[in-house]
Amino acid sequence: MDGSSKSLTELVGISTWQQIQDSFSSIIGFALLIHDSSGRLLCRSSNENEICKIARENPLGASLCYNHCGKGIEKAIKKREPFIFKCHANLYSFAVPIALDEKHHVVILGGQVFFSYKDLTDFIRDSGKSGIDGSRINTIKKTLKFSDIISLKSACRYISTSANHLLKNTYSQNMFKQRFSQLLTLFNVSTDLSFDITSHEIYGNILNTLGILFDVNTASIMLYEDNGLFRNKISFGQKEALILNFEADGTKGIFKRLLNERRPISARSKYEIAESGLPDDITSLHIFPLLKGESIIGLIILFNTDITEDDKKIIASYCNQVALVLENLSLKTELQEKLKNLSILMEINKAVGSTLDFEELMRIILDKSTELTKATQGSLMIFDESKMELTIKATKGFNEKIVEQFRIKPGEGIAGWVLKEGIPVVVRDIEKDERFGKKNRPRYKTGSFISIPLKINSRTVGVLNIADKITGEVFSEDDLNLLLSFATHASIAIERSEYYNKSEVLKKISITDPLTELLNRRYFEERLMEEIERSRRYHYPLSLIILDIDDFKNYNDVNGHLIGDEGLRITASCIRNAVRTIDVVARYGGEEFAVILPQTKKDVASLIAERIRAEVEKTYYPMEETQPSGEFTISLGLAAYPEDAKEMLELIDNADKSMYAAKVAGKNRVVTFSPGLLNKNSSNPIILTNSSYTPASFPAELTLKEINK
């Protein structure tokens, strides 16, 4: 017995029926058996003929028995009235059909008797054709019963009257109990659905409950969308693969009728099913609308499933409860989405508010906008008032190199129209929108997009474009409102970033030497004062290098000012290449440069100074062969805080004196400050570093007068 037969045996109270059947069999004196509509035996036979038992012992005989009795069952259900038939063993039987309801039928077979001795002998003679040993029948023929047509007809009428009434009453009582149990189960399930579980779990519980209670073959839940389609959210069953990606069009077939009538609808017509876009393997469907007021928010569909009219009423009632649950779920989801969007807006405002870098700000605004609206493509365009055109500053979803040269004038295209009019637009389908009527471009998956102006008061500073939802859905007014809710903040951030960048440029100009792009003397002195204060407070060492280009006047006069300027730029580059990132390089005077070395002792500073000197010496300068030495060189002086000076001016002065000492000593070298530079009679030697220096080529001491030359 399969699941449905077992269910039927429970509904007819088969254990009780077994006792009644045995009693009926004893009263009429004939065998009795009860089968379902497919021919399956529902309980033990009563007073069965021994010949039937022997016949079923071999495959051939069993097949013949099944064919004759099976056809009798089919014919009885089809005729809807009792009839008498003769089987292959010449036994006469009656078949009494009983319709329990429109879905369930049973057939009572009775009789299994011979009408004459000739019927028996003919069967014994031909028994070999049925694969039956005739000798076995001879051993039991004395126990066999004979009857007549009148007695069999009388028994048939008795069973038809008595059993029909009894079985239907029992079935109705049990069916009522089952319906009550189903309703109670559905009520309990719908109550449980109100708890805090995910939408997928809710959908799964709904379908599993229907599947168990109504023996559903295949089922799905579909929700209605703004584009007129019902989209499958979850499905299960034998044909699940066929309907997994099915979308029901509310303008076609049975689904169009459903939207108009807003009541449960069933279909078995192949044409009607095919017209709705379903595959051939779907042979029937029962559609139950989920209603919110007068509007359909979704469907529960049962495919290839037989259910009764009473079942439909129960499921329809359940769908009313499910609709309330789904509405609550929708409200909960909407609330969660708003909270999520509020969180994203706070993140956006925080990110936008803390970013001053213009390019980074453009990227953040676009990324957060697409995240907020679940979009896959977008662009952020800024209006250049001096050129009267929009330019793309950030993109998502396509190559930035392709569009970076695009220039859009006010009024041109959709973005130009939004810029000129200062009005946001939500387009559901670009090809159907009368305002624009453009063909959708291949790089876009859908024809829906949003374009909004970024405004400060009445001035539009840019245009934000968003396209292609991840889900494939169209953009809504809610999406537009989300974007507008932070557009003003984004516009202010853009303007603030522009002011900041302009101020940074002005600041850079104010502290930078325009020729070499190094820091200028004023800023150098401010930084040196700060570093001295830091060294004094934390007892950090500090060194200072002053360097001068050797014979620069000659280089400038002979080669011209343009070549001279190039020499200054190359020297600045050589210094930057030789120092560390923490070091501060400045143009101190005409051909003089200065390097502040924070937290650096004199011995390390000497190595850095020598590295600068060597870098300049090895670098080729235009026309450097015109120099007296045949090459472009520099002289460097080094002093340290606090051992060589206690104040800023003293430190600069001592480094400067050391540089002039290097000049006097022959140029192209580094001189480290020593008190002996100031006192002719001092016994402290001048510390010199140069790859070509020898003690004999330079005096041991210099007077202050010689230094100041």
Side-chain angles (χ1 to χ4, degrees), residues 311-499:
D311 291 337
K312 291 180 185 178
K313 293 176 183 177
I314 292 174
I315 296 173
S317 176
Y318 177 57
C319 286
N320 292 334
Q321 291 179 293
V322 168
L324 291 175
V325 172
L326 294 184
E327 184 179 358
N328 290 336
L329 175 63
S330 176
L331 292 173
K332 173 189 168 185
T333 303
E334 185 179 343
L335 177 60
Q336 289 175 336
E337 191 69 20
K338 287 182 177 179
L339 290 174
K340 180 183 176 183
N341 291 336
L342 179 60
S343 176
I344 294 175
L345 282 172
M346 292 175 67
E347 289 179 12
I348 290 173
N349 291 338
K350 182 179 178 181
V352 168
S354 62
T355 304
L356 289 172
D357 180 76
F358 186 75
E359 292 184 1
E360 177 69 8
L361 180 63
M362 298 298 100
R363 186 190 62 77
I364 289 175
I365 292 174
L366 182 59
D367 285 350
K368 293 299 183 180
S369 299
T370 53
E371 179 185 352
L372 197 63
T373 54
K374 299 181 179 65
T376 59
Q377 298 202 61
S379 63
L380 180 57
M381 314 178 80
I382 297 299
F383 182 56
D384 187 336
E385 293 182 353
S386 62
K387 297 180 180 179
M388 291 299 291
E389 61 186 15
L390 281 169
T391 57
I392 296 177
K393 297 299 182 182
T395 64
K396 182 175 183 179
F398 47 91
N399 194 323
E400 195 167 323
K401 296 294 182 183
I402 298 175
V403 298
E404 64 182 3
Q405 300 302 320
F406 284 5
R407 300 291 185 269
I408 297 175
K409 298 292 184 182
E412 291 181 352
I414 298 170
W417 183 88
V418 171
L419 172 70
K420 181 180 178 181
E421 300 297 328
I423 300 173
V425 295
V426 181
V427 175
R428 297 177 63 87
D429 189 341
I430 185 64
E431 295 185 358
K432 297 179 181 179
D433 196 294
E434 296 179 356
R435 294 171 296 180
F436 308 110
K438 292 189 175 184
K439 186 177 181 181
N440 192 35
R441 296 175 183 175
R443 70 170 179 266
Y444 295 107
K445 297 176 184 177
T446 71
S448 180
F449 66 89
I450 294 177
S451 186
I452 65 170
L454 300 175
K455 303 176 74 174
I456 299 176
N457 297 324
S458 60
R459 185 169 67 91
T460 301
V461 297
V463 176
L464 176 63
N465 306 295
I466 302 295
D468 283 350
K469 275 209 167 192
I470 296 172
T471 59
E473 299 171 299
V474 299
F475 289 100
S476 65
E477 291 296 325
D478 289 339
D479 294 317
L480 174 62
N481 291 332
L482 281 173
L483 288 178
L484 292 175
S485 63
F486 88 98
T488 301
H489 191 85
S491 301
I492 294 172
I494 290 171
E495 185 177 54
R496 186 191 61 178
S497 177
E498 289 179 335
Y499 284 140

Side-chain angles (χ1 to χ4, degrees), residues 596-697:
I596 303 172
L597 307 171
Q599 302 182 38
T600 307
K601 293 182 179 180
K602 190 183 291 188
D603 55 345
V604 177
S606 296
L607 296 176
I608 296 173
E610 175 57 27
R611 193 161 62 219
I612 296 171
R613 186 203 64 77
E615 182 73 18
V616 171
E617 185 179 40
K618 73 179 183 181
T619 301
Y620 175 75
Y621 283 72
M623 308 300 292
E624 68 175 359
E625 59 273 9
T626 60
Q627 288 290 77
S629 63
E631 60 182 351
F632 199 97
T633 61
I634 58 174
S635 297
L636 303 91
L638 170 64
Y641 175 88
E643 58 262 48
D644 296 333
K646 303 300 181 184
E647 302 293 338
M648 183 186 74
L649 294 179
E650 184 183 7
L651 182 62
I652 295 173
D653 189 49
N654 289 344
D656 197 49
K657 286 180 171 61
S658 300
M659 182 270 292
Y660 276 99
K663 293 277 189 183
V664 172
K667 304 174 184 177
N668 190 23
R669 65 195 66 222
V670 177
V671 171
T672 302
F673 179 78
S674 171
L677 287 171
L678 303 178
N679 186 353
K680 183 177 180 180
N681 298 319
S682 173
S683 60
N684 294 324
I686 301 171
I687 301 173
L688 302 173
T689 60
N690 184 276
S691 58
S692 61
Y693 166 73
T694 60
S697 63

